[in-house]
Amino acid sequence: MTTSVKVNEPEAGKSAKNPLKGLLDFGQSPWMDYVRRDLLIGGELGKLIENDGLRGMTSNPSIFAKAISTSKDYSDILESPDSKKLNATQIYEKIAIRDIQDATDIFKPVYDESKTRDGYVSLEVSPTLALERDKTIDEARRLWKTVNRPNVMIKVPGTKECVPAIRQLLEEGININITLLFAQSAYEQVAEAFIAALEARAAKGQDITHVASVASFFVSRIDTLADSLIDEKLKTASDPAQKALLESLKGQVAIANAKVTYKKYQELFSSPRWKALAAKGAQTQRLLWASTSTKNKAYRDVIYVEELIGADTVDTIPPATFDAFRDHGKLRPSLTENIDQAVKTMSDLEKAGLSMKEITGKLLVDGIKLFSDAFTELLEATGKSAGVRA
């Protein structure tokens, strides 16, 4: 991932529409997986909103860690006498919360103009709590209260342990970005938690119009793992038909999985149960496409943006992919194309002897570890830069 993002300055007399802005015409909101101080204080974020149609942001521990260890962006906090009295976690939170507050303030006009649909900035609960329901609830409440902005989203992983936490937090009116979703079954559980939480609020006569949530469904990592498993099977496959089947699946599984999940989204949020909530002003819990950078150089660098364009969705795009899509992204309503083929791809995967349940299960376990390790490295970088204990 790059450590900066280019700011698009429209050329005089140039009429071609920016593809990033064009996503909005299809009902998709481009967000960016990038929160860093230099973007907030120099006016660049405002330009991305104006010129590229940027509608929200998510934070990333790896970017915070790099910024803290390699730049002077946070020296005012890291070198302050007060920080010497704090541990690394407390210093990191001072840094992160200030950035999130500043970013949400910049996005507030988007939040207002979109009638609370967009303009969100996400801050995550410590990934080390991914399997602990009660601690996740406490941490999410604390971060929500500390940031104290209506357009912040608290990131909570969609593990089976945290689904009840998600349900509880949403019922309390806290905006939740549910992360680490790979399987359609996991998505259905968090969608049910969202709907049940709004029903509970409505039953108590509480406002449900401002409660926002996205279900962050990870994409490219699925192809990375599926392709590696396909390659392993191809090494020993001797039957020409089996080889052809395996070859046909390479680079297809992640997008097919997302398409069938979006079909489930459409079903869930067109049901009579949902319509009763919509009549009271509820907004749907949108699917958010995460992990949209291309890991395999053999694939188009914007494939996970181009192939997942559809109404009522969000695409959180890392800076390099954001710049690439602005430059050469192609627009079409791809998310609802060839659904029968997407269903067939998922069926063919099983025929080829590969289990989607095992793939998504491994990705969840690996994702929890990856996020936890990144968070630990972030705290180590913070402690080292501030000269305090981690």
Side-chain angles (χ1 to χ4, degrees):
M1 182 179 289
T2 59
T3 57
S4 64
V5 62
K6 297 173 186 175
V7 174
N8 181 46
E9 297 289 358
E11 297 175 25
K14 188 173 182 179
S15 59
K17 186 159 189 177
N18 181 338
L20 289 163
K21 270 194 166 179
L23 291 171
L24 297 170
D25 295 335
F26 292 89
Q28 184 172 80
S29 296
W31 291 10
M32 186 182 287
D33 188 21
Y34 191 80
V35 176
R36 182 166 158 161
R37 192 84 198 138
D38 56 1
L39 197 65
L40 305 177
I41 61 177
E44 285 85 356
L45 180 54
K47 291 178 182 177
L48 290 169
I49 293 169
E50 178 65 26
N51 300 335
D52 292 320
L54 186 65
R55 307 290 279 179
M57 297 184 91
T58 52
S59 60
N60 183 311
S62 297
I63 289 174
F64 269 124
K66 189 160 190 175
I68 287 168
S69 60
T70 64
S71 77
K72 293 293 185 182
D73 289 349
Y74 303 104
S75 58
D76 59 327
I77 290 178
L78 292 168
E79 297 170 9
S80 71
D82 288 345
S83 290
K84 304 305 177 188
K85 305 169 189 174
L86 306 175
N87 62 32
T89 301
Q90 292 167 323
I91 296 170
Y92 157 68
E93 283 199 0
K94 283 187 72 172
I95 287 170
I97 286 168
R98 181 179 67 174
D99 274 7
I100 299 300
Q101 287 175 328
D102 289 350
T104 51
D105 290 345
I106 295 169
F107 273 110
K108 187 61 162 52
V110 175
Y111 176 77
D112 292 336
E113 173 269 323
S114 66
K115 296 182 171 58
T116 77
R117 192 62 165 161
D118 272 315
Y120 293 95
V121 183
S122 297
L123 175 64
E124 68 188 311
V125 165
S126 170
T128 61
L129 304 179
L131 305 179
E132 300 190 53
R133 181 192 66 182
D134 292 343
K135 288 182 179 179
T136 291
I137 291 173
D138 291 343
E139 184 83 344
R141 285 171 176 161
R142 184 179 66 81
L143 292 174
W144 171 261
K145 185 176 180 180
T146 304
V147 175
N148 192 29
R149 298 292 191 277
N151 54 326
V152 67
M153 277 191 176
I154 306 302
K155 291 170 80 171
V156 176
T159 59
K160 66 180 181 182
E161 292 83 359
C162 284
V163 169
I166 291 163
R167 162 73 172 74
Q168 177 64 37
L169 293 164
L170 286 165
E171 184 177 340
E172 293 175 15
I174 297 174
N175 302 324
I176 303 295
N177 177 343
I178 303 153
T179 66
L180 283 176
L181 297 175
F182 299 96
Q184 182 179 316
S185 59
Y187 164 67
E188 290 180 39
Q189 290 174 11
V190 301
E192 166 61 29
F194 173 72
I195 293 170
L198 292 194
E199 287 174 333
R201 284 183 66 83
K204 292 182 286 189
Q206 295 175 328
D207 181 24
I208 61 172
T209 61
H210 66 83
V211 182
S213 178
V214 291
S216 292
F217 204 76
F218 284 54
V219 187
S220 66
R221 295 183 196 186
I222 290 174
D223 274 345
T224 300
L225 179 54
D227 285 358
S228 70
L229 295 173
I230 290 167
D231 285 338
E232 283 300 310
K233 282 194 169 289
L234 281 168
K235 289 177 183 177
T236 57
S238 56
D239 179 60
Q242 181 74 354
K243 280 186 175 181
L245 179 63
L246 287 164
E247 287 286 1
S248 73
L249 292 168
K250 291 185 72 172
Q252 303 299 313
V253 179
I255 290 166
N257 190 46
K259 285 186 174 185
V260 296
T261 301
Y262 181 67
K263 187 171 184 292
K264 176 57 65 172
Y265 161 85
Q266 291 177 311
E267 293 170 4
L268 289 170
F269 290 98
S270 62
S271 67
R273 184 182 175 196
W274 174 255
K275 286 177 180 177
L277 291 168
K280 296 175 182 177
Q283 56 176 305
T284 62
Q285 177 195 63
R286 287 178 295 177
L287 273 163
L288 178 152
W289 310 124
S291 183
T292 56
S293 61
T294 302
K295 310 294 191 293
N296 188 332
K297 287 184 167 40
Y299 303 154
R300 186 165 163 82
D301 59 352
V302 290
I303 187 172
Y304 298 110
V305 183
E306 287 181 342
E307 299 300 322
L308 297 174
I309 301 172
D312 298 322
T313 59
V314 176
D315 199 323
T316 293
I317 310 171
T321 308
F322 195 87
D323 291 339
F325 193 79
R326 180 201 293 124
D327 180 68
H328 53 264
K330 306 296 184 187
L331 296 164
R332 71 184 203 280
S334 51
L335 197 50
T336 52
E337 291 177 353
N338 304 318
I339 299 303
D340 290 345
Q341 179 59 47
V343 173
K344 183 177 184 297
T345 295
M346 302 311 293
S347 175
D348 284 349
L349 188 70
E350 302 292 332
K351 286 181 184 175
L354 294 168
S355 166
M356 192 62 184
K357 184 176 180 180
E358 290 179 8
I359 288 171
T360 57
K362 177 173 171 47
L363 286 168
L364 177 59
V365 171
D366 291 350
I368 291 169
K369 184 178 187 304
L370 189 69
F371 277 32
S372 295
D373 289 350
F375 197 75
T376 299
E377 290 169 12
L378 166 61
L379 297 183
E380 290 173 353
T382 303
K384 183 176 180 181
S385 296
V388 302
R389 62 188 176 90

